[in-house]
Amino acid sequence: MEYFPAALEKLVEQFARLPGIGGKSAQRLAFHVLSLTDAEAQEFADAIVEAKKKVTCCPVCRNLTDGGLCPICASPKRDERVVCVVADARDVAAIERSREYTGRYHVLHGVISPMNHIGPDDLEITSLVERVAAGGIDEVIMATNPDTEGEATAMYLARLLRPFDVKVTRLAYGIPVGGHLEFADDATLMRALEGRREI
Ligand SMILES: [Zn+2]
């Protein structure tokens, strides 16, 4: 590292801290920044500072927003009686892309993970329970990932919400569209059979 000037080394170190970026990639990105014009470099730096300053959590659903209610909570067209619970703001974007869902969301900001020392108190769980307790919600859809931690989180939340007069559902499991039965693992096939429906 000492082959580089100190300021460049510092930049490489910053890139190397980003998730999924190794030492070589960090150097490549830092050299790319050096090749930018002053205006481009300023724009890049401003984007980081501005995103950090302006992006906050929606007071209702905890999704990321530019301040105040997020556009989904603010929209009168979205069904406030249905709430889809997701682990991450990126999951909201994924479900929105389907254009099928017209309800609202609740973003947990993670899943319960004893391995990573993430417990219920580290997530937006109290805010979800308070939201359901306030009434006006008929159905809560658990849309955490179908892996061990996602499953455990969905089960934990379902238990927490049991005392309330609300239907708790889970996203259906199955064979991916365009997939082949012979390549599906046993657990996926079993879940797909369990979740079958009349056509
Ligand atoms: Zn919101």
Side-chain angles (χ1 to χ4, degrees):
M1 279 289 193
E2 65 254 35
Y3 308 116
F4 297 142
L8 178 57
E9 206 172 292
K10 205 167 148 189
L11 187 58
V12 173
E13 269 169 33
Q14 287 299 326
F15 277 121
R17 282 188 195 177
L18 299 178
I21 303 291
K24 282 263 167 62
S25 297
Q27 286 184 16
R28 198 165 45 81
L29 292 169
F31 272 87
H32 174 72
V33 168
L34 286 187
S35 75
L36 298 177
T37 64
D38 285 355
E40 285 168 337
Q42 190 61 53
E43 214 175 307
F44 184 46
D46 287 349
I48 294 175
V49 174
E50 194 172 309
K52 193 65 199 129
K53 208 184 292 172
K54 288 198 179 156
V55 177
T56 57
C57 279
C58 169
V60 175
C61 73
R62 320 310 288 171
N63 193 10
L64 300 178
T65 171
D66 279 330
L69 278 184
C70 74
I72 294 172
C73 286
S75 168
K77 289 188 187 142
R78 307 294 297 236
D79 188 351
E80 55 191 1
R81 291 165 306 161
V82 184
V83 172
C84 180
V85 177
V86 293
D88 199 279
R90 284 168 293 191
D91 300 329
V92 172
I95 295 175
E96 285 299 291
R97 273 200 300 274
S98 76
R99 294 170 189 270
E100 274 296 311
Y101 182 65
T102 54
R104 307 247 168 120
Y105 292 94
H106 195 88
V107 182
L108 298 173
H109 292 271
V111 284
I112 297 170
S113 171
M115 290 270 284
N116 298 309
H117 309 288
I118 299 171
D121 293 342
D122 301 312
L123 305 172
E124 287 293 343
I125 289 179
T126 308
S127 52
L128 172 66
V129 175
E130 282 172 358
R131 220 175 141 188
V132 172
I137 295 173
D138 295 338
E139 180 179 0
V140 177
I141 305 167
M142 295 298 165
T144 49
N145 286 327
D147 53 19
T148 317
E149 292 172 345
E151 282 297 319
T153 305
M155 289 301 151
Y156 176 83
L157 291 177
R159 250 198 326 272
L160 269 189
L161 297 179
R162 204 165 288 156
F164 302 101
D165 184 23
V166 64
K167 183 162 86 174
V168 180
T169 56
R170 183 87 173 100
L171 277 194
Y173 305 97
I175 314 295
V177 175
H180 288 271
L181 287 190
E182 61 174 319
F183 299 126
D185 61 277
D186 294 352
T188 302
L189 264 179
M190 199 183 73
R191 292 280 180 77
L193 269 172
E194 280 170 5
R196 70 187 184 277
R197 60 189 177 91
E198 212 171 315
I199 53 173

